[in-house]
PDB file of all heavy atoms in Angstrom:
ATOM      1  N   GLY A 933      21.592 -16.305  -4.445  1.00  0.00           N
ATOM      2  CA  GLY A 933      21.483 -17.297  -3.385  1.00  0.00           C
ATOM      3  C   GLY A 933      22.051 -16.750  -2.092  1.00  0.00           C
ATOM      4  O   GLY A 933      22.895 -15.848  -2.096  1.00  0.00           O
ATOM      5  N   VAL A 934      21.584 -17.303  -0.975  1.00  0.00           N
ATOM      6  CA  VAL A 934      22.079 -16.897   0.341  1.00  0.00           C
ATOM      7  C   VAL A 934      22.776 -18.087   0.989  1.00  0.00           C
ATOM      8  O   VAL A 934      22.187 -19.168   1.151  1.00  0.00           O
ATOM      9  CB  VAL A 934      20.940 -16.397   1.244  1.00  0.00           C
ATOM     10  CG1 VAL A 934      21.467 -16.089   2.641  1.00  0.00           C
ATOM     11  CG2 VAL A 934      20.293 -15.160   0.637  1.00  0.00           C
ATOM     12  N   CYS A 935      24.066 -17.906   1.315  1.00  0.00           N
ATOM     13  CA  CYS A 935      24.828 -18.928   2.023  1.00  0.00           C
ATOM     14  C   CYS A 935      24.870 -18.554   3.504  1.00  0.00           C
ATOM     15  O   CYS A 935      25.116 -17.387   3.845  1.00  0.00           O
ATOM     16  CB  CYS A 935      26.242 -19.024   1.472  1.00  0.00           C
ATOM     17  SG  CYS A 935      26.302 -19.403  -0.293  1.00  0.00           S
ATOM     18  N   TYR A 936      24.652 -19.527   4.363  1.00  0.00           N
ATOM     19  CA  TYR A 936      24.511 -19.243   5.794  1.00  0.00           C
ATOM     20  C   TYR A 936      25.332 -20.251   6.600  1.00  0.00           C
ATOM     21  O   TYR A 936      25.326 -21.457   6.318  1.00  0.00           O
ATOM     22  CB  TYR A 936      23.047 -19.338   6.211  1.00  0.00           C
ATOM     23  CG  TYR A 936      22.712 -18.618   7.500  1.00  0.00           C
ATOM     24  CD1 TYR A 936      22.218 -17.324   7.484  1.00  0.00           C
ATOM     25  CD2 TYR A 936      22.898 -19.239   8.737  1.00  0.00           C
ATOM     26  CE1 TYR A 936      21.903 -16.656   8.656  1.00  0.00           C
ATOM     27  CE2 TYR A 936      22.602 -18.581   9.918  1.00  0.00           C
ATOM     28  CZ  TYR A 936      22.096 -17.280   9.869  1.00  0.00           C
ATOM     29  OH  TYR A 936      21.798 -16.617  11.039  1.00  0.00           O
ATOM     30  N   ARG A 937      26.045 -19.728   7.610  1.00  0.00           N
ATOM     31  CA  ARG A 937      26.827 -20.582   8.505  1.00  0.00           C
ATOM     32  C   ARG A 937      26.520 -20.202   9.945  1.00  0.00           C
ATOM     33  O   ARG A 937      26.769 -19.065  10.366  1.00  0.00           O
ATOM     34  CB  ARG A 937      28.320 -20.448   8.247  1.00  0.00           C
ATOM     35  CG  ARG A 937      29.171 -21.346   9.167  1.00  0.00           C
ATOM     36  CD  ARG A 937      30.642 -20.971   9.150  1.00  0.00           C
ATOM     37  NE  ARG A 937      31.279 -21.269   7.872  1.00  0.00           N
ATOM     38  CZ  ARG A 937      31.881 -20.349   7.116  1.00  0.00           C
ATOM     39  NH1 ARG A 937      31.905 -19.076   7.512  1.00  0.00           N
ATOM     40  NH2 ARG A 937      32.443 -20.690   5.973  1.00  0.00           N
ATOM     41  N   GLN A 938      25.947 -21.145  10.693  1.00  0.00           N
ATOM     42  CA  GLN A 938      25.837 -20.957  12.134  1.00  0.00           C
ATOM     43  C   GLN A 938      27.167 -21.329  12.786  1.00  0.00           C
ATOM     44  O   GLN A 938      27.963 -22.083  12.213  1.00  0.00           O
ATOM     45  CB  GLN A 938      24.698 -21.815  12.691  1.00  0.00           C
ATOM     46  CG  GLN A 938      23.315 -21.343  12.231  1.00  0.00           C
ATOM     47  CD  GLN A 938      22.198 -22.194  12.795  1.00  0.00           C
ATOM     48  OE1 GLN A 938      22.046 -23.348  12.408  1.00  0.00           O
ATOM     49  NE2 GLN A 938      21.437 -21.631  13.722  1.00  0.00           N
ATOM     50  N   GLU A 939      27.387 -20.815  13.973  1.00  0.00           N
ATOM     51  CA  GLU A 939      28.706 -20.982  14.575  1.00  0.00           C
ATOM     52  C   GLU A 939      29.044 -22.439  14.880  1.00  0.00           C
ATOM     53  O   GLU A 939      30.205 -22.798  15.007  1.00  0.00           O
ATOM     54  CB  GLU A 939      28.815 -20.150  15.854  1.00  0.00           C
ATOM     55  CG  GLU A 939      27.865 -20.563  16.968  1.00  0.00           C
ATOM     56  CD  GLU A 939      28.058 -19.725  18.217  1.00  0.00           C
ATOM     57  OE1 GLU A 939      28.889 -18.799  18.177  1.00  0.00           O
ATOM     58  OE2 GLU A 939      27.395 -20.003  19.230  1.00  0.00           O
ATOM     59  N   ASP A 940      28.049 -23.286  14.954  1.00  0.00           N
ATOM     60  CA  ASP A 940      28.319 -24.699  15.241  1.00  0.00           C
ATOM     61  C   ASP A 940      27.960 -25.590  14.058  1.00  0.00           C
ATOM     62  O   ASP A 940      27.789 -26.796  14.205  1.00  0.00           O
ATOM     63  CB  ASP A 940      27.537 -25.153  16.482  1.00  0.00           C
ATOM     64  CG  ASP A 940      26.035 -24.912  16.356  1.00  0.00           C
ATOM     65  OD1 ASP A 940      25.622 -24.264  15.365  1.00  0.00           O
ATOM     66  OD2 ASP A 940      25.287 -25.363  17.246  1.00  0.00           O
ATOM     67  N   SER A 941      27.856 -25.022  12.863  1.00  0.00           N
ATOM     68  CA  SER A 941      27.460 -25.799  11.694  1.00  0.00           C
ATOM     69  C   SER A 941      28.308 -25.409  10.495  1.00  0.00           C
ATOM     70  O   SER A 941      29.027 -24.402  10.512  1.00  0.00           O
ATOM     71  CB  SER A 941      25.975 -25.573  11.357  1.00  0.00           C
ATOM     72  OG  SER A 941      25.143 -25.955  12.430  1.00  0.00           O
ATOM     73  N   ASN A 942      28.192 -26.212   9.421  1.00  0.00           N
ATOM     74  CA  ASN A 942      28.909 -25.922   8.189  1.00  0.00           C
ATOM     75  C   ASN A 942      28.129 -24.924   7.339  1.00  0.00           C
ATOM     76  O   ASN A 942      26.909 -24.780   7.453  1.00  0.00           O
ATOM     77  CB  ASN A 942      29.122 -27.212   7.394  1.00  0.00           C
ATOM     78  CG  ASN A 942      30.013 -28.195   8.117  1.00  0.00           C
ATOM     79  OD1 ASN A 942      31.003 -27.802   8.742  1.00  0.00           O
ATOM     80  ND2 ASN A 942      29.659 -29.471   8.050  1.00  0.00           N
ATOM     81  N   LEU A 943      28.872 -24.260   6.451  1.00  0.00           N
ATOM     82  CA  LEU A 943      28.239 -23.334   5.512  1.00  0.00           C
ATOM     83  C   LEU A 943      27.376 -24.118   4.524  1.00  0.00           C
ATOM     84  O   LEU A 943      27.762 -25.181   4.046  1.00  0.00           O
ATOM     85  CB  LEU A 943      29.322 -22.560   4.750  1.00  0.00           C
ATOM     86  CG  LEU A 943      28.821 -21.448   3.810  1.00  0.00           C
ATOM     87  CD1 LEU A 943      28.267 -20.286   4.607  1.00  0.00           C
ATOM     88  CD2 LEU A 943      29.966 -20.977   2.906  1.00  0.00           C
ATOM     89  N   HIS A 944      26.206 -23.582   4.233  1.00  0.00           N
ATOM     90  CA  HIS A 944      25.320 -24.211   3.258  1.00  0.00           C
ATOM     91  C   HIS A 944      24.485 -23.131   2.583  1.00  0.00           C
ATOM     92  O   HIS A 944      24.347 -22.016   3.092  1.00  0.00           O
ATOM     93  CB  HIS A 944      24.402 -25.243   3.926  1.00  0.00           C
ATOM     94  CG  HIS A 944      23.438 -24.630   4.903  1.00  0.00           C
ATOM     95  ND1 HIS A 944      23.814 -24.213   6.160  1.00  0.00           N
ATOM     96  CD2 HIS A 944      22.113 -24.345   4.806  1.00  0.00           C
ATOM     97  CE1 HIS A 944      22.783 -23.713   6.802  1.00  0.00           C
ATOM     98  NE2 HIS A 944      21.724 -23.776   5.984  1.00  0.00           N
ATOM     99  N   ARG A 945      23.952 -23.457   1.401  1.00  0.00           N
ATOM    100  CA  ARG A 945      23.089 -22.504   0.697  1.00  0.00           C
ATOM    101  C   ARG A 945      21.629 -22.814   0.989  1.00  0.00           C
ATOM    102  O   ARG A 945      21.210 -23.970   0.946  1.00  0.00           O
ATOM    103  CB  ARG A 945      23.341 -22.548  -0.817  1.00  0.00           C
ATOM    104  CG  ARG A 945      22.515 -21.497  -1.574  1.00  0.00           C
ATOM    105  CD  ARG A 945      22.795 -21.529  -3.061  1.00  0.00           C
ATOM    106  NE  ARG A 945      22.417 -22.789  -3.677  1.00  0.00           N
ATOM    107  CZ  ARG A 945      21.148 -23.119  -3.982  1.00  0.00           C
ATOM    108  NH1 ARG A 945      20.152 -22.300  -3.669  1.00  0.00           N
ATOM    109  NH2 ARG A 945      20.899 -24.271  -4.559  1.00  0.00           N
ATOM    110  N   LEU A 946      20.874 -21.761   1.293  1.00  0.00           N
ATOM    111  CA  LEU A 946      19.455 -21.944   1.561  1.00  0.00           C
ATOM    112  C   LEU A 946      18.736 -22.369   0.281  1.00  0.00           C
ATOM    113  O   LEU A 946      19.100 -21.977  -0.824  1.00  0.00           O
ATOM    114  CB  LEU A 946      18.837 -20.651   2.099  1.00  0.00           C
ATOM    115  CG  LEU A 946      19.461 -20.068   3.374  1.00  0.00           C
ATOM    116  CD1 LEU A 946      18.639 -18.898   3.879  1.00  0.00           C
ATOM    117  CD2 LEU A 946      19.591 -21.132   4.444  1.00  0.00           C
ATOM    118  N   ARG A 947      17.705 -23.160   0.464  1.00  0.00           N
ATOM    119  CA  ARG A 947      16.947 -23.695  -0.665  1.00  0.00           C
ATOM    120  C   ARG A 947      16.250 -22.578  -1.452  1.00  0.00           C
ATOM    121  O   ARG A 947      16.201 -22.604  -2.678  1.00  0.00           O
ATOM    122  CB  ARG A 947      15.922 -24.693  -0.139  1.00  0.00           C
ATOM    123  CG  ARG A 947      15.006 -25.288  -1.174  1.00  0.00           C
ATOM    124  CD  ARG A 947      14.117 -26.320  -0.506  1.00  0.00           C
ATOM    125  NE  ARG A 947      13.591 -25.801   0.759  1.00  0.00           N
ATOM    126  CZ  ARG A 947      12.977 -26.537   1.670  1.00  0.00           C
ATOM    127  NH1 ARG A 947      12.842 -27.837   1.469  1.00  0.00           N
ATOM    128  NH2 ARG A 947      12.515 -25.996   2.778  1.00  0.00           N
ATOM    129  N   ASP A 948      15.695 -21.588  -0.748  1.00  0.00           N
ATOM    130  CA  ASP A 948      15.014 -20.475  -1.418  1.00  0.00           C
ATOM    131  C   ASP A 948      16.031 -19.514  -2.024  1.00  0.00           C
ATOM    132  O   ASP A 948      17.148 -19.358  -1.503  1.00  0.00           O
ATOM    133  CB  ASP A 948      14.123 -19.716  -0.429  1.00  0.00           C
ATOM    134  CG  ASP A 948      13.014 -20.591   0.128  1.00  0.00           C
ATOM    135  OD1 ASP A 948      12.520 -21.460  -0.622  1.00  0.00           O
ATOM    136  OD2 ASP A 948      12.638 -20.399   1.301  1.00  0.00           O
ATOM    137  N   THR A 949      15.644 -18.856  -3.117  1.00  0.00           N
ATOM    138  CA  THR A 949      16.522 -17.895  -3.788  1.00  0.00           C
ATOM    139  C   THR A 949      15.839 -16.538  -3.899  1.00  0.00           C
ATOM    140  O   THR A 949      14.646 -16.391  -3.608  1.00  0.00           O
ATOM    141  CB  THR A 949      16.900 -18.397  -5.192  1.00  0.00           C
ATOM    142  OG1 THR A 949      15.696 -18.640  -5.942  1.00  0.00           O
ATOM    143  CG2 THR A 949      17.711 -19.678  -5.113  1.00  0.00           C
ATOM    144  N   ILE A 950      16.617 -15.557  -4.329  1.00  0.00           N
ATOM    145  CA  ILE A 950      16.118 -14.191  -4.508  1.00  0.00           C
ATOM    146  C   ILE A 950      16.068 -13.907  -6.005  1.00  0.00           C
ATOM    147  O   ILE A 950      17.102 -13.929  -6.671  1.00  0.00           O
ATOM    148  CB  ILE A 950      17.035 -13.181  -3.805  1.00  0.00           C
ATOM    149  CG1 ILE A 950      17.172 -13.521  -2.322  1.00  0.00           C
ATOM    150  CG2 ILE A 950      16.518 -11.758  -3.996  1.00  0.00           C
ATOM    151  CD1 ILE A 950      18.337 -12.831  -1.656  1.00  0.00           C
ATOM    152  N   ARG A 951      14.888 -13.645  -6.512  1.00  0.00           N
ATOM    153  CA  ARG A 951      14.728 -13.370  -7.943  1.00  0.00           C
ATOM    154  C   ARG A 951      14.660 -11.868  -8.171  1.00  0.00           C
ATOM    155  O   ARG A 951      13.786 -11.182  -7.638  1.00  0.00           O
ATOM    156  CB  ARG A 951      13.460 -14.038  -8.472  1.00  0.00           C
ATOM    157  CG  ARG A 951      13.168 -13.709  -9.930  1.00  0.00           C
ATOM    158  CD  ARG A 951      11.853 -14.331 -10.359  1.00  0.00           C
ATOM    159  NE  ARG A 951      11.400 -13.790 -11.621  1.00  0.00           N
ATOM    160  CZ  ARG A 951      10.199 -13.995 -12.135  1.00  0.00           C
ATOM    161  NH1 ARG A 951       9.328 -14.752 -11.490  1.00  0.00           N
ATOM    162  NH2 ARG A 951       9.852 -13.454 -13.285  1.00  0.00           N
TER     163      ARG A 951
END
Side-chain angles (χ1 to χ4, degrees):
V934 175
C935 302
Y936 200 95
R937 181 194 291 121
Q938 292 180 290
E939 64 178 3
D940 56 353
S941 300
N942 296 320
L943 185 70
H944 65 284
R945 184 179 63 78
L946 303 187
R947 177 176 45 192
D948 297 326
T949 57
I950 303 164
R951 176 184 167 191

